[in-house]
Amino acid sequence: MPALAIALCGVLITGCSGGGDDAKPQAKPPAEPKPLAAGALRPLLLSQADLGAGYVQVQEKPDSGKFDDVSVQGCSALEKLGQSGDETMFAAKAETSFTYRDATLGEELHSDRPSVLSSKLGKLFGAYTSCPTYTMTAGTTPIKVKVAKSATPQLGDEQFAYTSTMELPSGAQVLKTMAVCKGSVAVILVGAPALVDRQMKTAVGKLPAGS
């Protein structure tokens, strides 16, 4: 994690400094970019014009506890993550979603200090990829989930990705979750693997250079 690396470097510099006239004051690390507000994130979301023909934007309904009845069994890291959900929240968030034929594509933009994005996303994706299989219960329906790490494109400053296969009553559904950090903004796409792979470059391209 960047914060830990900076702290360790500080210890090494202090331990190796010779002192006396040859010792030089250490320059302070550059200040991190500040988080963007939610209002500044919304224009950076993907639009139908960005995605092209065939995509239909879904009108989001206000969050009314739609995930309150979802729980996880068989993966201690995810169970702990669910108990400490506030710890993985960021300073600002904006989201949208689309349908494309019979597939879906969801996008979330999160903003915070770069070191916070890196640390929390590393923890989040680390938890999801720590267990190759687990069971997710939605209401009273148990759903078996298989997870595998996925390759990531060389975009932004840092990337994370995994693919999950859910054994639903209607059949298996494969979803890919990918995050790319660029400055103080992280893009997360979730949906059909082909759509995520196809649109991530477009999503990252909408972020300002100094975000």
Side-chain angles (χ1 to χ4, degrees):
M1 297 178 188
L4 178 58
I6 292 171
L8 289 175
C9 286
V11 172
L12 291 173
I13 290 168
T14 302
C16 296
S17 294
D21 295 337
D22 293 334
K24 296 181 180 180
Q26 298 299 319
K28 292 183 179 180
E32 291 189 288
K34 293 182 179 180
L36 300 181
L41 287 177
R42 292 189 194 98
L44 306 179
L45 289 166
L46 290 168
S47 67
Q48 287 176 271
D50 297 319
L51 298 174
Y55 288 85
V56 178
Q57 190 166 16
V58 178
Q59 295 300 317
E60 296 291 338
K61 297 179 180 179
D63 187 355
S64 57
K66 56 185 176 181
F67 299 117
D68 288 350
D69 62 345
V70 176
S71 60
V72 171
Q73 301 84 37
C75 184
S76 59
L78 283 180
E79 291 174 29
K80 291 178 181 177
L81 191 67
Q83 295 166 1
S84 58
D86 289 346
E87 295 180 11
T88 57
M89 294 178 66
F90 300 100
K93 173 185 177 181
E95 61 184 319
T96 188
S97 60
F98 302 85
T99 59
Y100 181 78
R101 298 175 183 171
D102 58 348
T104 60
L105 177 69
E107 180 189 24
E108 292 183 2
L109 293 179
H110 297 275
S111 187
D112 215 313
R113 290 181 292 111
S115 61
V116 174
L117 291 175
S118 177
S119 175
K120 291 187 175 183
L121 284 174
K123 178 181 178 181
L124 181 68
F125 278 73
Y128 270 98
T129 56
S130 65
C131 302
T133 62
Y134 65 89
T135 300
M136 178 174 66
T137 302
T140 59
T141 304
I143 301 169
K144 187 175 182 180
V145 183
K146 298 179 182 178
V147 179
K149 289 184 179 180
S150 300
T152 57
Q154 293 303 306
L155 295 171
D157 305 320
E158 195 170 12
Q159 315 84 24
F160 309 86
Y162 67 86
T163 302
S164 54
T165 303
M166 295 179 288
E167 300 295 340
L168 302 172
S170 57
Q173 181 179 6
V174 180
L175 293 176
K176 188 168 188 175
T177 303
M178 184 186 298
V180 172
C181 299
K182 183 180 178 182
S184 62
V185 180
V187 181
I188 301 179
L189 294 185
V190 183
L195 300 187
V196 171
D197 291 340
R198 186 184 309 159
Q199 301 299 346
M200 180 54 88
K201 185 176 181 180
T202 303
V204 175
K206 294 197 69 171
L207 305 184
S211 61

